Amino acid sequence: MIETVKNHAEKLFKGARGSHDWEHTLRVARLCRRIGAVEGADMDVLMAAAYLHDIGRCYQDVSNGKVCHAEKGAQMARPIVAALPLLPAQKENILHAVGAHRFRGTRPPETLEAKVLFDADKLDAIGAIGVARAFLFAGEVGARLHNPDMNVAEARPYSIDDTGYREFKVKLSKIKDRILTPEGRKLAEARHEFMLKFFGRFLSEYEGKE
């Protein structure tokens, strides 16, 4: 059953940007398996949601953020989930997890499976992988490497000032405190510390101090 969902989802990532491509989904799925097993999640629900969670991402990217990919993804996932041999409550849980996984979303994760997916998705946004993805995304939207004169609070997303450092300041640095599960928090601590060291060194090198 999960392989069927996985195959359906993979087909929807053709032409996806590298920062939110199928490889990101596979990493999130691996983290879901790790965290979900420790936390006692319904793995059928969790893994289906993991493979489906970003299928609406391309709509957010082409709209420069005007479309919420989590909400769009939940809509797209409904006919896929409807065909699964699961209980109605499990199906609704999958759709809820997909719709509630976004960091900047308005729907908080309410079930254990939704919380695990939220954490796994956020963990892939921090640490070494998170730094790499932040700069990859900046390149995708045509942002510069860094702008020392930029007020990150005023910089527009999907603009030339949507830099990797801006993403760290406005989002990545805050993720550790938003993680919802005990196992997720353990993983987040080390990844957060890596980012602090990296961006400290990044700014020092940019200014010619090291």
Side-chain angles (χ1 to χ4, degrees):
M1 180 189 70
I2 299 303
E3 282 300 310
T4 297
V5 174
K6 182 179 178 181
N7 291 335
H8 271 296
E10 184 175 8
K11 294 174 184 177
L12 298 172
F13 281 83
K14 185 177 181 179
R17 293 178 178 178
S19 59
H20 293 87
D21 61 3
W22 182 240
E23 294 298 321
H24 160 67
T25 291
L26 294 178
R27 291 193 303 271
V28 169
R30 288 193 289 268
L31 285 167
C32 280
R33 285 191 186 279
R34 177 175 178 175
I35 299 170
V38 174
E39 299 295 335
D42 180 331
M43 298 306 289
D44 286 337
V45 168
L46 178 58
M47 296 313 298
Y51 288 124
L52 293 168
H53 84 279
D54 260 0
I55 59 175
R57 181 71 202 194
C58 63
Y59 293 91
Q60 180 170 314
D61 288 340
V62 298
S63 69
N64 286 340
K66 293 178 182 178
V67 173
C68 173
H69 76 276
E71 295 177 4
K72 180 67 175 178
Q75 294 172 7
M76 294 170 63
R78 187 169 290 278
I80 299 173
V81 173
L84 300 178
L86 295 172
L87 296 173
Q90 290 177 299
K91 295 178 181 182
E92 285 305 312
N93 195 357
I94 294 170
L95 297 176
H96 166 67
V98 172
H101 83 271
R102 189 182 178 195
F103 182 81
R104 298 182 177 96
T106 58
R107 298 176 59 186
E110 296 177 352
T111 65
L112 173 59
E113 292 72 27
K115 292 175 182 178
V116 172
L117 175 59
F118 180 91
D119 285 1
D121 186 57
K122 301 308 152 296
L123 285 167
D124 199 58
I126 60 177
I129 286 288
V131 170
R133 289 181 64 211
F135 283 101
L136 180 58
F137 178 77
E140 290 167 358
V141 301
R144 65 190 74 183
L145 177 65
H146 181 54
N147 180 0
D149 301 318
M150 172 185 63
N151 180 341
V152 294
E154 297 177 356
R156 292 182 299 106
Y158 293 87
S159 73
I160 193 173
D161 289 321
D162 197 357
T163 65
Y165 180 69
R166 174 192 180 273
E167 183 72 354
F168 167 70
K169 292 296 290 184
V170 303
K171 177 183 176 182
L172 308 190
S173 63
K174 302 174 182 177
I175 284 177
K176 176 177 69 71
D177 296 326
R178 291 277 301 275
I179 298 296
L180 302 171
T181 65
E183 185 66 14
R185 285 192 286 271
K186 291 179 185 178
L187 297 173
E189 287 290 341
R191 295 191 181 210
H192 181 78
E193 287 302 314
F194 174 86
M195 291 192 303
L196 293 180
K197 292 177 182 178
F198 174 87
F199 280 104
R201 176 80 186 196
F202 174 82
L203 294 176
S204 183
E205 289 187 10
Y206 191 89
E207 295 167 2
K209 295 179 180 178
E210 294 193 64

